[in-house]
Amino acid sequence: MYFDYFGLKEAPFRITPNTEYWYAGGQRGEMLAALQYAIGQGEGIIKVVGEVGSGKTMLCRKLVAQLPDTIDSVYLGNPTLSPDDMLAAILSDLGIDAAAEGRQARLAQLNAALLTRHEAGRRVVVFVEEAQGIALDNLEFLRLLTNLETATDKLLQIILFGQPELDAQLADPRIRQLKDRITLSLNLSPLTEPEVAEYLRARLAVAGYRGPDLFSAALIAQLTHLSGGLSRRINVLADKTLLAAYAGQTHTLTAAHLDAAAGDAEIRSPAQTAHTPRLPRWAWLSAGLAAGLGLLVFVAWQTRAPAASPPAVPPQAASMPRPTVPVPVSRVTELARQTQRWLVTAAPDTHVIQIASAKEAAQAAVLLGDLNAVTPQPVRVLHGLSQGAPAWMILAGEFPNRDAAMAVMRSLPATSTGVPFLRTVGKMRSVVLPTG
């Protein structure tokens, strides 16, 4: 929406990791070099720890993109996989779709595939994301996979990416052997205020911006404080700040615009979190800023709807469709987090109805606002792969079997968001969620 207004060719602050926007500051460049060196040595387990939104996935993708041609990468992104499913996923990434029955048979398949690659001068590295969510027994199973070796070389190397809770898990004496195998341990620290300034300039430049600094020193200090130096929060706040300024038709970003962005994203400073109760948004928005955000909602509506009719109310107004109820993007991401937690415990044969999907969280927010009273409850959002591409999928209902889900799905009215279809918890765990 605001691209042309600020002279941008694309969105500079999307939260989807895109290696074109790689930022080497904040010691990220040094960490990348250290990881490349450790992989080159080919031994031991590597651990990368960072807070939620600190840039672990971006670092992982940048590392994969820069691996030598002689190294094959395998990606495990679902912490709930059992050892047998882990083996099946690794074999699939190595091009072996027909996994044998039984763990020992799959281990033999994997060993044979690794030996074949070793003889061809190739190695395999397994990238494990969300490692803090893996059960201790399964972490120990991953360690055992590093025992696959020849007389001189390890056949498999593992890199664990996780939140700080991973360190607590590794301190458990039951998996001390795994901890002893870790040869490189890195910690992604939050960005400092000067680094946040560089980060903003770098992303804006990649997106095509060529003007003077949009974010003043005072605004950067405030943004650093609100975001805690975490890149995902920086992206969310910066994007919404530009959007608020565009709504007010000004190129000068102010603290009021950033306050509005933080309010919309439900991001609060540590002091606010510790000492003040949650306030309704109208209590802190100034009248002028509220008018600016009102314009923003109007502009967003215009991008999806035909030009407005004249002010006169037509006789058939009572039968016109209801307007979209705005849904904050933060609600979409929170629903996605809740869905991931639900998938861990739900029965594999539980069915849901996928009623829509979107490429961006903002688009999913619009679709959520379009839902009506006949939509089966509960409504969930799943962030993962849909037809091979990242997507935000809107799921409705929760049914114990296919017949119950089909009965409800057939009763749903036709919509413009696509044809509804069924998904199961088991499939979402093994196919959709790991790639999200």
Side-chain angles (χ1 to χ4, degrees), residues 264-415:
D264 187 67
E266 297 184 353
I267 293 175
R268 307 165 72 201
S269 69
Q272 289 173 315
T273 302
H275 301 297
T276 62
R278 182 180 295 275
L279 296 175
R281 194 167 301 166
W282 56 264
W284 50 263
L285 273 176
S286 66
L289 185 55
L293 289 180
L295 175 59
L296 175 58
V297 174
F298 172 77
V299 172
W301 171 255
Q302 293 302 307
T303 62
R304 345 180 21 257
S309 57
V313 179
Q316 68 274 23
S319 63
M320 292 176 65
R322 65 179 180 88
T324 298
V325 179
V327 174
V329 172
S330 59
R331 177 59 179 159
V332 176
T333 55
E334 175 58 28
L335 284 172
R337 285 192 291 268
Q338 292 175 8
T339 300
Q340 286 202 0
R341 292 194 291 269
W342 171 73
L343 283 175
V344 173
T345 58
D349 197 43
T350 300
H351 283 66
V352 297
I353 303 171
Q354 179 169 322
I355 56 176
S357 68
K359 294 181 179 179
E360 303 293 340
Q363 295 172 332
V366 173
L367 293 172
L368 283 174
D370 279 334
L371 298 181
N372 53 41
V374 302
T375 303
Q377 297 296 315
V379 172
R380 295 187 170 92
V381 175
L382 174 64
H383 188 209
L385 273 197
S386 178
Q387 296 181 345
W392 299 81
M393 290 156 272
I394 298 177
L395 312 175
E398 182 176 335
F399 309 95
N401 52 59
R402 179 180 177 83
D403 290 342
M406 284 294 294
V408 173
M409 188 173 72
R410 291 192 188 100
S411 68
L412 294 178
T415 70

Side-chain angles (χ1 to χ4, degrees), residues 192-243:
T192 64
E193 189 175 315
E195 290 164 352
V196 170
E198 294 176 358
Y199 178 84
L200 293 169
R201 293 190 196 103
R203 291 191 74 102
L204 284 166
V206 173
Y209 183 71
R210 298 295 181 265
D213 284 345
L214 288 172
F215 292 85
S216 66
L219 207 58
I220 289 169
Q222 184 183 355
L223 194 153
T224 303
H225 178 63
L226 284 169
S227 67
L230 299 175
S231 54
R232 185 182 301 161
R233 284 191 167 199
I234 295 169
N235 287 353
V236 170
L237 289 169
D239 175 71
K240 290 181 179 292
T241 299
L242 290 172
L243 204 54

Side-chain angles (χ1 to χ4, degrees), residues 130-171:
E130 304 296 340
Q132 79 285 343
I134 300 177
L136 292 183
D137 289 345
N138 295 350
L139 281 173
E140 175 63 11
F141 176 76
L142 283 174
R143 179 191 70 82
L144 293 175
L145 292 183
T146 64
N147 289 337
L148 299 174
E149 58 190 2
T150 66
T152 57
D153 300 301
K154 293 286 185 182
L155 296 176
L156 193 71
Q157 193 169 20
I158 293 175
I159 305 181
L160 301 174
F161 288 83
Q163 296 168 20
E165 293 82 359
L166 176 60
D167 284 332
Q169 278 189 288
L170 294 175

